Amino acid sequence: MTTGHGSDDVMPELIGIMYTSQKSVALVGAALVATCLAIYIKDGDPVVAVTAALSIIIVAGRVLNSAAYHRAAAEVTTARIARIWEIRYAIGGAAFAAVVGLFAAYVIWSGTPTSQLLAATVMLAYPTGMIARVAVRPAIARLHLALALSPPIVAALSLGTPEHWMLALLFTTYLLAGVEIIRHLASTIADRVHLHQEVTRRATHDDLTGLPNRAHFRARLAEAHRRLERYGTRFAVHAFDLDHFKTVNDTHGHAAGDRVLQQVAERVLATVRSTDVVARLGGDEFAILQFPIGECQEAEILGRRVAAAVSQPLLDKGQRVLVGASVGVTICNHSAGTIDEIMHQADTALYAAKAAGRGRSEVYPQS
C-alpha cells in the first residue's frame, strides 16, 4: 500500500488524462487521411495512397485502444496497471507521429508547393492537440513531437535552398517551443493532480492513522457489492474494535491512545493483502473489506490473524501496553443483503465475539 505522493501515486490519474479525448485522435487522423486523399487525387502518387491506408489502420487501432481503456478505467488503480496502458498509448501515438513526420518529409522532397502546404498544415496542427493531451507524460510527448517534426526538418535541410532552410528553421523553432510547452504543462498538471489527490485524501482518509475513513470504506464496499451482484465475486467484511482501549486512555493519556491506534493500524495493514481495505470508522472502531475471497475459510483465518496480531503487546515510549481486538466477520456471497445489512451482520458477529470473552473473532451465521 503506497502512502506517499510520488509519481506512482498519481500515475493512474495522469494516464487517464492522456485517454480523455477519443474525438481528437479520430479528428487528427481524419485530417491526415483527407490530406493524403486530396494530394493523391491531385498528383496520383501511390505512396500517398499507402500513407492514407496506413493512417486509417493506426487511427482505428488507437480509437479501439482508447475505448478499451475507458471500459477498464475503474480497474486502473495501480501504477503497474497504469504503465501497461501508458505503453499501449505510447506505441499507437508513436506510430501515428512517425507517419505524420515521414509523410511530411516525403511531400517536401517530392511534392508540389500546394501539396507541401497541405502536409505542413497537418504536421503543425498535430502537435498542438498531442501536447495538450500527452504533456502529462513528458517523455512520451517529446518522443511523439520529435517523430513528427524531425523528418521534415531533415528533408527541408537536404534540399538546400534558402526557402527550405527557412522552412527547416520554422519547424525547428516549433519543435523547441513544443518541448518547452511540454515541460511547463507537465509541471503544472502534476502539481494540480497532487493537490487534487491531497484534498481527496483528506476528505476520504483518517488523519491520525492514514487509513480510509467510513465514507471511503462504504464506497469501496459498494464497489465490491456491485461486483458480487454482477460477477459473483465473494468478499468478507470484518468489524473490530479494541478491547480495554478506554483503560489505555485513562492510564496513559489520550496521546498514548492515539499512538496505540497508529500501531494497531500498522499491524493490521501488515496482516492483510494489497487488495484488501482497512479503514478506521471512528474512535477505536475499524473495519476490513477482504476482497476477493475464494473459500469461506479465508475470512475465518483473517479474522483470527487480526485478533492475534492486535493482542500482541505494544510499546509506547518504552512502556508495555496491552489491548485486544474483538472481530466480527460476515461472508458475502449471493445471499448478501444491502450494504447496511452487511455492516449490521459484521457488528452482530463483533458483539458475539465480545460476549464469548473478547480477543477473538466470530463469524456471522450464513443463511
Side-chain angles (χ1 to χ4, degrees):
M1 177 177 168
T2 305
T3 58
H5 298 289
S7 60
D8 281 358
D9 298 296
V10 300
M11 175 73 81
E13 189 167 348
L14 295 179
I15 300 308
I17 293 173
M18 290 204 306
Y19 280 96
T20 52
S21 179
Q22 291 176 299
K23 290 182 179 179
S24 63
V25 171
L27 288 173
V28 173
L32 177 59
V33 172
T35 301
C36 290
L37 293 177
I39 295 173
Y40 176 72
I41 292 171
K42 180 178 180 295
D43 300 336
D45 189 335
V47 173
V48 176
V50 171
T51 301
L54 185 60
S55 299
I56 292 172
I57 294 171
I58 293 173
V59 171
R62 296 187 72 197
V63 170
L64 290 173
N65 179 56
S66 183
Y69 169 82
H70 286 289
R71 288 194 299 270
E75 309 297 327
V76 185
T77 56
T78 66
R80 182 184 64 82
I81 298 174
R83 285 193 180 95
I84 294 172
W85 288 101
E86 177 186 34
I87 293 170
R88 292 175 62 165
Y89 187 98
I91 291 173
F96 185 79
V99 169
V100 171
L102 293 172
F103 166 69
Y106 176 77
V107 173
I108 289 172
W109 270 319
S110 59
T112 64
T114 302
S115 300
Q116 292 175 355
L117 178 60
L118 288 171
T121 300
V122 173
M123 186 199 66
L124 293 177
Y126 160 72
T128 303
M130 181 276 294
I131 289 173
R133 200 170 51 251
V134 190
V136 292
R137 305 304 291 162
I140 296 175
R142 287 192 293 265
L143 172 63
H144 292 181
L145 188 66
L147 288 171
L149 291 175
S150 297
I153 290 173
V154 173
L157 289 174
S158 68
L159 292 174
T161 67
E163 292 83 359
H164 286 99
W165 288 345
M166 288 299 296
L167 186 62
L169 178 61
L170 172 64
F171 291 159
T172 302
T173 302
Y174 199 62
L175 173 61
L176 295 176
V179 170
E180 176 58 23
I181 292 171
I182 290 168
R183 184 197 65 79
H184 173 72
L185 284 178
S187 175
T188 301
I189 294 172
D191 287 345
R192 290 184 178 181
V193 169
H194 279 293
L195 177 61
H196 175 261
Q197 286 206 337
E198 178 60 21
V199 171
T200 301
R201 189 195 69 79
R202 287 182 177 275
T204 59
H205 286 70
D206 171 52
D207 284 339
L208 178 64
T209 62
L211 296 177
N213 60 18
R214 183 184 296 271
H216 191 140
F217 182 80
R218 288 182 66 89
R220 295 295 298 274
L221 178 55
E223 292 176 13
H225 194 268
R226 285 192 293 270
R227 291 185 67 85
L228 170 64
E229 292 180 330
R230 185 172 182 181
Y231 304 112
T233 307
R234 295 192 295 179
F235 63 91
V237 172
H238 305 247
F240 69 96
D241 61 17
L242 303 186
D243 301 325
H244 314 299
F245 182 68
K246 184 177 184 299
T247 302
V248 174
N249 280 331
D250 292 344
T251 304
H252 303 281
H254 289 281
D258 287 347
R259 291 190 291 272
V260 166
L261 292 172
Q262 290 171 333
Q263 291 187 55
V264 167
E266 292 172 0
R267 285 192 179 182
V268 177
L269 283 174
T271 303
V272 302
R273 305 166 300 178
S274 61
T275 56
D276 301 332
V277 179
V278 181
R280 182 187 177 204
L281 304 184
D284 65 331
E285 299 176 18
F286 295 81
I288 301 171
L289 171 60
Q290 187 181 7
F291 177 87
I293 61 170
E295 302 296 331
C296 296
Q297 289 83 354
E298 295 176 29
E300 297 171 9
I301 291 170
L302 179 59
R304 290 195 293 268
R305 288 178 62 192
V306 169
V310 177
S311 69
Q312 296 300 311
L314 299 165
L315 286 177
D316 179 61
K317 294 187 174 181
Q319 289 186 308
R320 195 166 177 263
V321 179
L322 290 175
V323 293
S326 298
V327 185
V329 184
T330 182
I331 299 167
C332 303
N333 51 32
H334 62 279
S335 61
T338 65
I339 291 174
D340 287 336
E341 289 171 341
I342 291 170
M343 294 302 299
H344 177 71
Q345 292 168 7
D347 286 338
T348 299
L350 166 60
Y351 300 144
K354 285 186 176 295
R358 302 177 184 267
R360 56 181 293 147
S361 68
E362 291 288 340
V363 179
Y364 185 82
Q366 298 297 299
S367 58

